[in-house]
Amino acid sequence: MNHAMLAPYRAVAEATRSFYQNPLNPLSRTHFGRTTAAMAELFERSTRIYAKPEFGIDEAFVGGARVAVQQTTVWQKPFARLLHFARDLPAERKPDPRVLIVAPMSGHYATLLRGTVEALLPSADVYITDWEDARQVPLSDGQFDLDDYVDYVIEMIRHLGPDTHVMAVCQPAVPVLMAVAQMAKWNDPAQPSSMILMGGPIDTRVNPTAVNRLAEQKGIDWFREHVIMKVPFPQPGFLRDVYPGFLQLSGFMSMNLDRHLIAHKDFYWHLVKDDGDGADKHRAFYDEYLAVMDLTAEFYLQTVEEVFIKHSLPKGEILHRGERVDAKAILETALMTVEGENDDISGLGQTKAAQDLCVNIPDDMRVHYMQPRVGHYGVFNGSRFRADICPRIVDFMLTHGQPAREWRAEKARKQAADEQKQAEARARAEAQAQTLVADKKIAAEKAVDDKPAETPQKPASRAAPKRTPSTRGRRR
């Protein structure tokens, strides 16, 4: 309604900007003309409803060569599409890891992860969830809550099949962990090979941030009464209860308000000084950042209550379709958690808490990485993500993908077979040695038994001394 009221003023501002930026207008080259045009554009951009951006990824560098990329929709339901960035690769190239990026449903569109997709494309076959703006979904398509979110993730993983790696960025860390735990409990053959959780609120009791404290202080009834609105006419989702994206955006911007004010002030001076490069960078960033989507009320309220107020997942109390979700059931999916040192949305340690919940994952199938000197968005975007985090993720997927597991299993089988052969050889040698000793003993005993008995000899009698004639009596 507020946007509709401002529509005439935006039209005037846009006309003013066009007039003073027209190269045929002599005033466009004056300080007055540039100042007026700058003020008009700043007002128009500050009151505009930004359309959903496009990914616009047409190519990628793979193996040192530029290849074409085609974006296609491979799965779709009322509240989401599954997009595939298909690369035109040589037939002889070995398959790269297949990764499903689960984008956050927290106010921004999936295109906020454009940099994440671009960084992974050289080394992975990339899919991403594209959540629908709730105000664009008619009421006839039903509701969408946390249980539905988990169902969507499970269906997408099953659609992609075994040996899929699933990456959850921020908010979806909780439903993705729930989905993988349920698949493990059901012994689903499509269980992902690995799960990468990045900057997600697994346990918001650890280092709570301003966002976490607000939820606990207000309580769920406050959110239900103050932030839930109905979609106005003539939107397709007319009368649907939603959490408006502009409220979420206002919350995000208020956390770094001074930075955004300085950015807009700099943008104004870039326009006045006719600095096209600086102005274009500002437009590119804020065209993305200010494009927001509404969330269904049931999903938003359930997430706030279960994740930020009750802490149901780390307590082992969270349910999916009435079934208790047990992270201990996960045995075959490798786990990687990633955090940013300066994250002011998901505090340090909140994502790492997943390592404590998934206690039955072997130690050689889990890893935690904390990226120094990055905030929340630096965990999945920017130079440090490209240089430090993304290579670790790719290495983790390669290490725990099906080909690597089969190679390790085959290596283990060969090693076990070799060890068995060596053990059998040692056993045979010991048996032969024991047999030889026994044979020698038997031979010695037989030799003793076969020896003829000796006849005992009488001791030789001592010869009596010869008596000589006595001389006794010869004396006279």
Side-chain angles (χ1 to χ4, degrees):
M1 187 65 68
N2 293 333
H3 284 288
M5 293 173 59
L6 289 171
Y9 301 97
R10 286 200 304 275
V12 172
E14 178 61 19
T16 301
R17 183 194 66 81
S18 299
F19 176 77
Y20 284 101
Q21 286 186 345
N22 191 326
L24 299 179
N25 184 355
L27 293 176
S28 65
R29 292 181 288 275
T30 66
H31 180 78
F32 172 79
R34 291 195 299 268
T35 301
T36 305
M39 289 189 295
E41 181 172 350
L42 192 60
F43 174 82
E44 189 276 331
R45 291 183 62 84
S46 301
T47 58
R48 179 197 303 177
I49 297 180
Y50 286 80
K52 180 181 179 180
E54 298 291 336
F55 276 98
I57 301 176
D58 301 320
E59 59 184 19
F61 279 96
V62 181
R66 190 189 302 270
V67 300
V69 175
Q70 183 178 6
Q71 175 185 312
T72 59
T73 300
V74 296
W75 180 94
Q76 187 168 5
K77 276 199 164 186
F79 289 91
R81 297 184 303 159
L82 181 59
L83 303 181
H84 179 212
F85 295 92
R87 303 166 300 168
D88 186 12
L89 298 175
E92 63 273 12
R93 179 181 173 87
K94 293 183 179 179
D96 289 324
R98 181 172 59 248
V99 57
L100 166 61
I101 303 175
V102 183
M105 182 185 276
S106 56
H108 283 108
Y109 291 99
T111 50
L112 192 67
L113 304 186
R114 183 185 295 104
T116 314
V117 174
E118 290 175 335
L120 286 169
L121 276 175
S123 308
D125 186 18
V126 182
Y127 296 77
I128 191 170
T129 60
D130 185 25
W131 301 107
E132 189 59 74
D133 185 349
R135 65 175 175 262
Q136 300 297 325
V137 183
L139 270 174
S140 58
D141 285 329
Q143 293 188 330
F144 183 86
D145 60 10
L146 186 57
D147 288 336
D148 295 307
Y149 195 120
V150 174
D151 291 340
Y152 272 43
V153 172
I154 292 174
E155 289 185 34
M156 291 180 193
I157 294 174
R158 287 173 174 168
H159 177 81
L160 296 179
D163 198 25
T164 295
H165 306 267
V166 58
M167 176 192 298
V169 179
C170 188
Q171 166 268 323
V174 171
V176 164
L177 180 56
M178 293 173 62
V180 174
Q182 289 294 83
M183 295 179 75
K185 183 170 69 174
W186 302 332
N187 197 25
D188 196 307
Q191 294 177 61
S193 295
S194 74
M195 170 174 53
I196 301 103
L197 308 180
M198 307 176 67
I202 298 297
D203 189 350
T204 58
R205 298 172 298 178
V206 181
N207 290 327
T209 63
V211 176
N212 309 146
R213 288 189 290 268
L214 176 66
E216 291 188 333
Q217 292 169 2
K218 297 295 185 181
I220 193 62
D221 291 333
W222 183 91
F223 287 94
R224 185 178 288 109
E225 294 172 4
H226 291 86
V227 303
I228 301 302
M229 303 179 184
K230 289 190 178 295
V231 176
F233 182 81
Q235 299 292 339
F238 176 53
L239 294 182
R240 179 183 291 279
D241 288 330
V242 297
Y243 172 63
F246 72 84
L247 289 180
Q248 184 80 332
L249 177 64
S250 300
F252 283 146
M253 295 189 72
S254 65
M255 297 176 65
N256 298 283
L257 185 58
D258 54 342
R259 185 182 305 172
H260 292 292
L261 290 175
I262 292 172
H264 281 77
K265 183 191 72 173
D266 291 342
F267 174 63
Y268 170 79
W269 287 113
H270 287 319
L271 293 173
V272 172
K273 297 176 182 178
D274 201 21
D275 181 0
D277 290 340
D280 288 342
K281 290 178 181 178
H282 177 96
R283 291 190 188 100
F285 175 79
Y286 279 98
D287 282 353
E288 186 78 55
Y289 190 76
L290 298 177
V292 292
M293 54 181 281
D294 295 349
L295 316 180
T296 62
E298 56 273 16
F299 169 76
Y300 174 77
L301 293 174
Q302 189 178 0
T303 299
V304 170
E305 185 173 21
E306 298 294 336
V307 177
F308 296 97
I309 297 178
K310 290 184 177 180
H311 313 290
S312 299
L313 178 60
K315 290 181 179 179
E317 300 171 355
I318 202 163
L319 302 177
H320 170 251
R321 301 294 180 196
E323 295 183 15
R324 189 175 69 86
V325 177
D326 187 7
K328 298 185 183 68
I330 304 175
L331 303 173
E332 301 177 3
T333 299
L335 172 63
M336 179 180 189
T337 50
V338 182
E339 295 181 326
E341 181 182 19
N342 302 323
D343 195 331
D344 57 354
I345 295 179
S346 296
L348 201 61
Q350 292 186 9
T351 310
K352 187 180 179 182
Q355 301 282 354
D356 299 325
L357 299 179
C358 304
V359 294
N360 290 325
I361 297 178
D363 290 340
D364 61 350
M365 292 175 58
R366 62 170 76 224
V367 66
H368 174 73
Y369 177 69
M370 189 276 291
Q371 177 62 46
R373 302 187 302 279
V374 299
H376 185 70
Y377 291 98
V379 172
F380 57 87
N381 234 325
S383 60
R384 290 193 177 95
F385 170 77
R386 293 189 295 270
D388 299 330
I389 299 177
C390 187
R392 286 177 166 85
I393 292 174
V394 172
D395 179 72
F396 186 76
M397 292 190 296
L398 289 172
T399 301
H400 299 287
Q402 196 64 32
R405 292 190 184 196
E406 292 175 354
W407 179 83
R408 287 196 299 272
E410 182 63 24
K411 182 179 179 181
R413 283 193 293 269
K414 290 182 178 179
Q415 183 177 355
D418 292 342
E419 292 176 353
Q420 180 66 25
K421 290 179 181 179
Q422 293 174 4
E424 292 174 355
R426 288 194 298 270
R428 287 195 298 270
E430 292 176 358
Q432 291 174 357
Q434 292 175 357
T435 301
L436 183 61
V437 171
D439 290 345
K440 288 182 177 180
K441 183 177 180 181
I442 293 173
E445 292 176 351
K446 184 176 181 182
V448 172
D449 293 339
D450 293 345
K451 186 176 180 181
E454 295 181 0
T455 304
Q457 296 181 358
K458 294 183 178 179
S461 57
R462 183 178 296 177
K466 292 180 180 181
R467 298 185 64 176
T468 57
S470 175
T471 56
R472 183 184 299 175
R474 288 183 181 180
R475 292 181 180 178
R476 298 285 184 181

